[in-house]
Amino acid sequence: MVANPRSASKSGSGPTDAALVVAARAGETWAQQALFERYARMVLGLSQRILCHSADADDLAQDAFVYALNHLGSLQNPQAFAAWLASIVVRTASKRLRTRRLLSRLGLRRRQAPDLEAVISPTAPPDVAAELRAVYAVVERLPAEQRVALLLRRVEGLEIAETAERMDLSPATVKRRIAAAEARLERARRLL
Amino acid sequence: MKPELGKYVQVDLSPPRLARLWDGVAPRLAATSSPRRAWLMRSVLAGSLLVAAGGGAALYSLREPAPSVWQNAVLRTGGDAMSVNLGEGSTLEVASESRVEVAESAKNSVRLNLAQGSVLCDVTHREGRRFVVAAAGVEVRVVGTRFRVALAPSGERVEVQVERGTVEVTQHSDPGHVRRISAGERWSVAQNAPAASAEPSAPTPSPSEAAASPAPSESAAALEPSADARAPQRADKDSPLREATSTLEVASAKQLLDLANSARRSGDIPLAARAYEALLSRFPRDGRSGLAAFELGRLRLDRLGNPRGAAQAFERAIQLAPGSGFREDAMARLVDAYAALGATDACRRARQSYLESYPAGLHVSGVSAKCSGR
């Protein structure tokens, strides 16, 4: 099945991301699998929290890994693989959401409301559950980049600078997007 | 304290789901090189080879090097240029005051990082071999060609000029968008510009291997999906373009035109091109088809680096909408497309046709100057 990255190191702590990237670049399949094994949960979780639908998250996660593992040569700092991979997920998700929004506006695609009860954990405290419902109800109607910025900030808990890096935007632009999204969120709350 | 909302979003991370995910990823990974890479693994950890040149002529040629020798090499020049033979037929001409880092040099993959100056690469075609030059967030991927990559001294502009063959260029800021730059064309981008604003500039009039085909037939045959539609589709396998394909097969002509125009305005050029092509293919007699052909031609010429496909589209636009308001523009752009292809005879015919049809037209001076001569 999937190689255990720990088996590549005598110390048991596993090779570094940089070592795995270099090996994967050199054509070592075990290193590609090891990188996948190490970050599949992160990628799938991030994909699901941005897109909300499981099938869409699977597609996004798959595409992000395929892109990353086929373009390791473009990664300047092999040790920064995780952050680079996360930014690929975010940018691919944004692009996908933009296209869907365009198709929906033109009547070429039906909007799919997320099943929030399936998305929100039953262990969530009531105020957290309410917050998540409000956020996910609003993001369905937001432009792609406002949606992604809001989710990275509110749900992923990233700081502005981290959000900007993931989205490859300036912090000022990210702040504007988040402010616009927060304004919509606030209006939606007042209507409840 | 703010609640950590992400912790409370349920995500199925079970082994079966992860296994399915890997089953979908593995077949789509690029073919790896020979499994017996132990020697390369050792060489990856080897020290750097620094090659510097200065003073008089600095020509350095390495015959039949083992790939591990070049791995991590740095090619740095002072006052003079340097020529390097990579041992399999490809050569690098490193300009003066330049620095090229050989990040990877294996049988099936070569990767150079241009840190300063410019490098002219004459690359031998080898089936299945990736040859990439990266500079300031731009990646140039080649398959048997001759091209130059230059980095402005400030590091803020990257320019790619192709003399022979075709290269594919991507930017880190827009990984899913692949531009094809063909022989005789030049492309540049400022690092602070958004990806969608990078435009191919006017092509240089150098000879082209892809040049000099006769004008496309004037029959009513539908436009074939051009290379730019295939190339972005291949590169954008990981993008929503794949998802829109089924939509393009069922949308009406109006919906396709609206989709194409909206995608073009929002910078999704591959989707816009596909939508225009779908309209032309599925509704060749629709009143909007002439405009679709014209807009497609513009995209192909200005954004997709495909002058051949652009010429086809402009010919089609002129044929479909002879009395339209954009006919003059289409005839003028047809001249541009043939000029970009280096198809001198076709260019001159198109130029003459435009000048006869529009002797006092808007584009007379521009068109008259095209086609290298009379």
Side-chain angles (χ1 to χ4, degrees):
Chain A
M1 269 271 285
V2 178
N4 183 347
R6 292 189 186 82
S7 64
S9 164
K10 286 180 188 171
S11 69
S13 63
T16 62
D17 282 357
L20 289 176
V21 167
V22 170
R25 277 178 182 167
E28 299 286 346
T29 316
W30 68 263
Q32 293 175 328
Q33 289 178 324
L35 286 168
F36 171 84
E37 174 85 346
R38 193 171 279 189
Y39 290 108
R41 287 166 186 78
M42 180 274 279
V43 167
L44 207 42
L46 181 58
S47 301
Q48 181 105 24
R49 289 187 292 273
I50 293 177
L51 294 184
C52 222
H53 299 281
S54 289
D56 297 343
D58 283 346
D59 278 349
L60 173 59
Q62 219 183 83
D63 288 351
F65 267 114
V66 169
Y67 181 85
L69 295 176
N70 281 339
H71 291 83
L72 287 175
S74 67
L75 174 55
Q76 302 279 356
N77 175 11
Q79 194 55 35
F81 176 78
W84 180 70
L85 180 59
S87 68
I88 289 171
V89 173
V90 168
R91 289 201 295 267
T92 307
S94 294
K95 194 163 182 179
R96 192 165 291 224
L97 288 166
R98 273 198 297 275
T99 299
R100 287 187 186 174
R101 191 173 158 84
L102 180 61
L103 294 176
S104 294
R105 252 199 346 255
L106 295 173
L108 298 171
R109 185 176 187 274
R110 240 180 10 195
R111 283 188 201 278
Q112 283 178 280
D115 180 359
L116 294 178
E117 297 316 311
V119 165
I120 298 171
S121 167
T123 64
D127 58 331
V128 171
E131 180 73 8
L132 281 171
R133 277 192 207 98
V135 167
Y136 277 109
V138 158
V139 297
E140 284 296 308
R141 305 223 168 255
L142 290 178
E145 296 213 324
Q146 285 184 23
R147 170 181 179 141
V148 172
L150 183 69
L151 289 173
L152 290 181
R153 186 87 175 103
R154 282 290 198 117
V155 176
E156 299 299 304
L158 299 186
E159 299 297 332
I160 295 288
E162 285 176 292
T163 303
E165 192 190 324
R166 290 283 183 275
M167 298 183 70
D168 197 25
L169 295 172
S170 69
T173 301
V174 164
K175 279 184 192 168
R176 279 198 300 277
R177 303 263 159 91
I178 290 174
E182 296 271 7
R184 296 271 295 259
L185 185 59
E186 190 51 38
R187 277 200 297 277
R189 281 208 190 96
R190 278 194 243 118
L191 289 173
L192 292 173
Chain B
M1 186 189 305
K2 270 190 180 174
E4 292 181 39
L5 299 183
K7 269 180 19 178
Y8 297 101
V9 175
Q10 295 194 110
V11 181
D12 170 19
L13 297 173
S14 61
R17 189 181 187 192
L18 297 180
R20 277 198 310 275
L21 186 58
W22 177 250
D23 288 346
V25 169
R28 294 168 60 193
L29 297 180
T32 58
S33 44
S34 165
R36 288 189 290 274
R37 308 301 289 176
W39 65 267
L40 183 60
M41 279 301 297
R42 287 194 292 275
S43 70
V44 162
L45 302 175
S48 302
L49 172 70
L50 179 67
V51 178
L59 294 177
Y60 184 85
S61 176
L62 193 68
R63 274 172 288 179
E64 298 295 335
S68 60
V69 174
W70 285 112
Q71 188 82 26
N72 299 322
V74 177
L75 311 175
R76 191 165 64 199
T77 55
D80 295 289
M82 172 168 64
S83 180
V84 173
N85 183 331
L86 295 183
E88 36 67 73
S90 300
T91 58
L92 307 177
E93 290 176 26
V94 184
S96 60
E97 307 297 334
S98 298
R99 178 186 170 102
V100 175
E101 298 158 359
V102 183
E104 183 177 6
S105 178
K107 182 180 173 186
N108 289 334
S109 180
V110 173
R111 180 177 179 84
L112 309 177
N113 290 331
L114 175 65
Q116 179 185 338
S118 74
V119 59
L120 178 66
C121 306
D122 195 334
V123 179
T124 304
H125 175 69
R126 287 185 60 187
E127 195 66 37
R129 191 264 300 270
R130 279 167 45 89
F131 194 111
V132 173
V133 179
V138 173
E139 201 170 285
V140 184
R141 190 163 53 244
V142 304
V143 181
T145 188
R146 182 176 168 90
F147 69 104
R148 180 181 297 280
V149 181
L151 183 61
S154 61
E156 288 184 357
R157 176 168 285 275
V158 177
E159 182 176 280
V160 179
Q161 182 179 353
V162 180
E163 296 182 13
R164 183 181 70 241
T166 303
V167 303
E168 294 179 346
V169 179
T170 59
Q171 288 176 265
H172 292 173
S173 58
D174 188 16
H177 185 195
V178 177
R179 295 167 184 82
R180 301 196 92 193
I181 314 298
S182 299
E185 294 178 343
R186 182 187 293 147
W187 176 89
S188 66
V189 64
Q191 288 309 297
N192 292 327
S197 74
E199 301 274 355
S201 56
T204 53
S206 51
S208 161
E209 283 185 344
S213 63
S217 160
E218 293 194 356
S219 73
L223 281 174
E224 291 179 7
S226 67
D228 57 77
R230 285 193 290 274
Q233 194 175 17
R234 182 180 66 245
D236 281 348
K237 267 194 316 189
D238 306 332
S239 89
L241 185 60
R242 187 182 45 169
E243 183 181 327
T245 298
S246 58
T247 300
L248 299 179
E249 292 168 1
V250 301
S252 68
K254 181 182 183 309
Q255 287 172 329
L256 286 171
L257 189 63
D258 288 344
L259 173 61
N261 290 340
S262 296
R264 176 172 49 81
R265 281 192 293 270
S266 64
D268 192 340
I269 303 305
L271 177 59
R274 287 290 306 279
Y276 287 131
E277 285 170 0
L279 194 161
L280 285 164
S281 170
R282 295 180 49 219
F283 306 102
R285 292 183 181 76
D286 187 271
R288 288 163 273 243
S289 61
L291 178 60
F294 174 62
E295 294 293 354
L296 178 62
R298 287 175 58 199
L299 287 184
R300 285 176 172 174
L301 187 58
D302 300 335
R303 307 296 294 274
L304 295 169
N306 179 12
R308 184 180 302 281
Q312 281 184 333
F314 288 133
E315 291 273 5
R316 186 81 186 277
I318 295 164
Q319 174 200 11
L320 287 171
S324 67
F326 55 80
R327 182 171 182 267
E328 181 184 352
D329 289 343
M331 292 182 75
R333 295 312 312 273
L334 181 62
V335 178
D336 291 341
Y338 282 131
L341 271 176
T344 309
D345 289 344
C347 185
R348 287 175 179 166
R349 283 196 297 273
R351 181 182 65 187
Q352 183 178 0
S353 182
Y354 173 88
L355 293 173
E356 285 173 357
S357 298
Y358 302 100
L362 290 170
H363 308 289
V364 164
S365 56
V367 165
S368 299
K370 290 273 172 19
C371 313
S372 306
R374 304 180 288 106

